[in-house]
Amino acid sequence: MAVTNRTTPTLRELTVRGILLGGVITLVFTAANVYLGLKVGLTFATAIPAAVISMAILRNFANHSIVENNIVQTVASAAGTLSAIIFVLPGLIMIGWWTGFPYWITVAVCAVGGILGVMYSIPLRRALVTGSDLPYPEGVAAAEVLKVGDSSGGAAENRVGIRVIAFGALVSAAFGLVANLKVLANYVAAYFRAGSGGSMFGASLSLALIGVGHLVGMTVGIAMLVGLVISFGAMLPIRTIGAFGTGEPIADVIDSVFASEVRFIGAGAIAVGAVWTLLKILRPIVKGITEALASARDRRQGQLVDITQRDIPFPIVIATVVVMLIPIAVLLWDFSRGTALQGSAAAIIVASLVFIFVIGLVIAAVCGYMAGLIGSSNSPISGVGILTVLIAALVIKVVFGQTDDGQSTALVAFTLFVAAVTFGVATISNDNLQDLKTGQLVGATPWKQQVALVIGVLFGSAIIPPVLDLMQRAFGFLGAPGATDNALAAPQAALISSLAKGVFGGSLNWSLIGLGAAIGVAIVIADEILTGTTRFALPPLAVGMGMYLPMSLTLIIPLGSLLGYFYNRWADRTGGNVERKKRLGVLLATGMIVGESLYGVIFAGFVAGTGSDEPFAIFTGNDGTLAEVIGIAGFAAVLLWLYTRARTISAREVVKE
């Protein structure tokens, strides 16, 4: 019989109020993450801001505890992370298969994939969390925030944290509003000839991107900058040689070559980075799974297990995984019904179920390990998704056999649908072990946290479809039917759908992907040399993302990394409570992301409601160079004010201690 070694009285942990609070926070952060992910192809970790908000609210109730606050951040974190499924689902709009997001089907895809992700990562907890020396940076940071909030001085700390998040959010949203009023421009771009070819300069004046850069840090920021230089400083000028004799505007030529050629080179680099990462961690993953199974067997044989080591029983985990395959099979059958695949889809449905079952476990281990190494925010989950859709497309193509044009289009859509379920596994396993690390450090009960993760998945599954549908109706997705001038890039979905179409249509330019793969190999070698001989690194997947994303996005993220670096240097130099100062910087960055993202959701509602792309435009004549100059000056002034104010707040609080 298992007993607990916990000597303190039992603390309130998995409570109704904690679950409801987590659900409310989920609504906010999931909406923000959906918008940010569709706009720039990146999402942000929600655990730390959720923990701060939870502590500030639950402190007003009786019998609150650190482990109850941990449940709140677990629910919100799981739901916020599940929003990364947007890296696949918009592809069904882009290929013209869907015209919107059917609510219950989208809910089901998110839910079954997310629950599978929770179940798959449970056997990995002992090996990859309690039995390893993986750093889990965000999990450890969230635990420190919870511990500080639970201390005698935690109330004041929570109030400061909430103020900083709110300050960053309000300023970020206000800047977005001023741009939509047409007082200033929030985007600058210039196209130019470079020898016989051409290139461009572009920057989105986005406070959210600054926040993203601050969170990912200098190593990732520099790597993305290297990727940007490769694409826009070398590949684009080379690929546009001789392309300007058609009389098309230079901007159209450069944008077209980037979208149809350079981005696929970046995809090749991403694929190599993902494979290399998998190869490096394959041995410890296999060892970890073996140890986790051995540990579960020991518990069944009656060994004493502390309450902080109790997972959902392994038989229930296995049964849940098997049961989840039933609704997945129904979803796949329903998806193929009434299409060119009807009557001949049985084989690919069976193959897809096997694919999801087997590859899902591999993905859970890979993503969980990567999150332990570099954190959920930095984990290159989209690279894993790209590899997944390529493998799924090849498997389905081989199983199905010869196709006509109608069947090829249907198979592309079917592959994206399968990939969406698998991506749900990846997103949750990427976050799950990070949350369980936080729980381990604060003395939480694993099985209760795992239940909270499932609840978070269900909350997120309910919220994601209407936000996705709102984004589709208000802006559309770049390259999709009905897209507006302000269409969201949804970069991963665009790439994934293009790869699937290329596999089934035979039009995939493998030479471009091969070139990118060769560049990726060179980057891997450079990274290994750097990490082996210096304290620097060049993460291959981050370089690949820098090659793949538009410059308007990648240029500002390294700027945010630089600002975060200088802010942290200031914290180290001035002493005092250094970690608290740095944490306030993280909360400021989070506030900037949340503010702009939530404003984007609200703005989308006005666009959808009015039918106008610019419902707030007042100064309609203010455009061109003048608006860009005002925008750059205003952007710089706001950034200076934000970071100066954060430093002032940090210093003031340190003096009070």
Side-chain angles (χ1 to χ4, degrees):
M1 177 179 176
V3 298
T4 176
N5 293 329
R6 185 183 281 168
T7 58
T8 55
T10 301
L11 301 174
R12 292 171 64 93
E13 190 167 1
L14 188 62
T15 63
V16 173
R17 70 187 183 190
I19 291 170
L20 293 177
L21 178 56
V24 173
I25 298 173
T26 289
L27 175 63
V28 175
F29 286 151
T30 301
N33 253 338
V34 168
Y35 176 79
L36 186 69
L38 291 174
K39 181 178 180 181
V40 305
L42 296 167
T43 55
F44 66 98
T46 57
I48 292 176
V52 171
I53 295 171
S54 170
M55 289 183 296
I57 294 175
L58 287 185
R59 183 169 288 275
N60 299 309
F61 294 85
N63 301 319
H64 64 84
S65 68
I66 188 171
V67 288
E68 185 181 17
N69 282 306
N70 180 58
I71 288 294
V72 176
Q73 74 85 14
T74 298
V75 172
S77 178
T81 302
L82 185 62
S83 60
I85 202 166
I86 61 170
F87 292 163
V88 179
L89 281 178
L92 291 166
I93 302 286
M94 293 176 169
I95 65 172
W97 192 261
W98 280 358
T99 56
F101 294 93
Y103 182 78
W104 289 112
I105 292 177
T106 308
V107 166
V109 169
C110 295
V112 295
I115 292 172
L116 273 180
V118 175
M119 294 301 119
Y120 276 143
S121 55
I122 288 172
L124 302 175
R125 185 188 67 83
R126 289 177 180 270
L128 298 184
V129 176
T130 60
S132 79
D133 56 357
L134 291 171
Y136 287 100
E138 289 163 358
V140 173
E144 289 303 311
V145 170
L146 288 169
K147 289 176 183 178
V148 169
D150 198 54
S151 65
S152 58
E157 181 75 7
N158 289 342
R159 286 195 294 271
V160 174
I162 290 290
R163 270 206 314 271
V164 171
I165 290 177
F167 172 60
L170 288 172
V171 173
S172 184
F175 190 83
L177 174 61
V178 170
N180 288 139
L181 292 172
K182 297 298 180 180
V183 174
L184 48 77
N186 59 358
Y187 175 78
V188 296
Y191 296 83
F192 53 86
R193 296 291 295 270
S196 301
S199 190
M200 67 161 295
F201 168 85
S204 178
L205 305 179
S206 164
L207 293 175
L209 293 179
I210 294 292
V212 170
H214 186 127
L215 294 181
V216 301
M218 279 296 289
T219 298
V220 173
I222 290 173
M224 293 187 73
L225 193 61
V226 169
L228 182 151
V229 171
I230 292 172
S231 282
F232 291 89
M235 293 295 105
L236 193 55
I238 292 172
R239 305 300 300 188
T240 52
I241 290 176
F244 297 104
T246 61
E248 288 186 75
I250 182 173
D252 292 348
V253 172
I254 289 174
D255 286 343
S256 174
V257 171
F258 176 75
S260 62
E261 298 184 31
V262 175
R263 293 183 79 174
F264 282 92
I265 297 173
I270 289 174
V272 166
V275 170
W276 178 247
T277 302
L278 175 59
L279 291 175
K280 288 183 71 174
I281 66 177
L282 196 57
R283 183 177 177 183
I285 284 173
V286 172
K287 180 182 177 183
I289 293 173
T290 303
E291 291 177 352
L293 293 173
S295 178
R297 185 173 59 251
D298 291 341
R299 182 182 174 188
R300 288 198 304 272
Q301 292 173 353
Q303 291 192 12
L304 300 182
V305 180
D306 187 86
I307 195 171
T308 60
Q309 295 298 325
R310 297 180 187 174
D311 296 291
I312 293 176
F314 201 67
I316 294 178
V317 172
I318 294 296
T320 304
V321 170
V322 173
V323 168
M324 282 296 104
L325 294 177
I326 297 173
I328 292 173
V330 172
L331 283 169
L332 295 177
W333 171 80
D334 181 70
F335 191 85
S336 61
R337 187 166 55 92
T339 71
L341 303 178
Q342 184 168 332
S344 55
I348 58 172
I349 289 175
V350 172
S352 298
L353 289 173
V354 174
F355 175 83
I356 292 169
F357 181 81
V358 176
I359 298 297
L361 182 58
V362 174
I363 283 176
V366 171
C367 292
Y369 195 91
M370 289 192 300
L373 286 174
I374 58 176
S376 300
S377 296
N378 297 340
S379 186
I381 193 169
S382 56
V384 175
I386 288 166
L387 279 178
T388 300
V389 79
L390 272 176
I391 296 170
L394 292 171
V395 168
I396 291 171
K397 183 176 183 178
V398 169
V399 171
F400 193 86
Q402 292 294 323
T403 61
D404 56 35
D405 290 341
Q407 288 174 326
S408 293
T409 304
L411 285 172
V412 170
F414 186 89
T415 300
L416 293 178
F417 198 72
V418 171
V421 175
T422 315
F423 211 81
V425 176
T427 59
I428 289 300
S429 57
N430 185 53
D431 170 77
N432 192 353
L433 295 177
Q434 198 82 246
D435 287 330
L436 292 172
K437 180 65 176 181
T438 302
Q440 177 210 1
L441 294 174
V442 301
T445 309
W447 76 262
K448 293 181 180 179
Q449 241 188 309
Q450 290 151 6
V451 170
L453 284 161
V454 172
I455 294 171
V457 165
L458 297 177
F459 274 132
S461 300
I463 292 167
I464 289 170
V467 179
L468 270 174
D469 211 46
L470 176 61
M471 296 296 110
Q472 156 65 10
R473 288 188 290 110
F475 303 120
F477 304 121
L478 199 63
T484 68
D485 292 338
N486 297 318
L488 298 166
Q492 283 87 349
L495 174 58
I496 285 171
S497 57
S498 296
L499 290 173
K501 285 193 291 185
V503 169
F504 287 105
S507 60
L508 188 61
N509 191 334
W510 289 102
S511 65
L512 294 176
I513 294 177
L515 175 58
I519 295 172
V521 169
I523 294 167
V524 165
I525 294 172
D527 179 53
E528 290 297 305
I529 293 173
L530 285 172
T531 54
T533 58
T534 71
R535 59 187 181 88
F536 300 103
L538 195 66
L541 276 163
V543 176
M545 289 298 292
M547 293 173 62
Y548 172 75
L549 291 172
M551 181 187 285
S552 59
L553 306 181
T554 49
L555 186 63
I556 299 300
I557 291 173
L559 175 60
S561 299
L562 187 64
L563 289 173
Y565 170 78
F566 282 123
Y567 178 87
N568 290 337
R569 283 283 302 273
W570 166 81
D572 290 329
R573 189 174 64 252
T574 54
N577 195 332
V578 173
E579 289 307 312
R580 183 159 137 198
K581 291 180 179 179
K582 291 181 178 179
R583 189 161 56 245
L584 286 176
V586 169
L587 295 178
L588 175 67
T590 302
M592 288 190 280
I593 295 170
V594 171
E596 182 175 317
S597 300
L598 289 181
Y599 170 74
V601 174
I602 294 169
F603 180 71
F606 278 94
V607 171
T610 62
S612 169
D613 290 345
E614 298 179 345
F616 298 160
I618 296 177
F619 304 97
T620 53
N622 185 27
D623 53 17
T625 304
L626 177 60
E628 292 180 351
V629 171
I630 296 173
I632 294 171
F635 189 63
V638 167
L639 282 175
L640 179 62
W641 180 45
L642 280 168
Y643 277 96
T644 301
R645 181 64 179 162
R647 287 171 51 169
T648 302
I649 293 173
S650 299
R652 181 186 305 139
E653 293 304 316
V654 169
V655 169
K656 285 182 179 180
E657 287 185 341

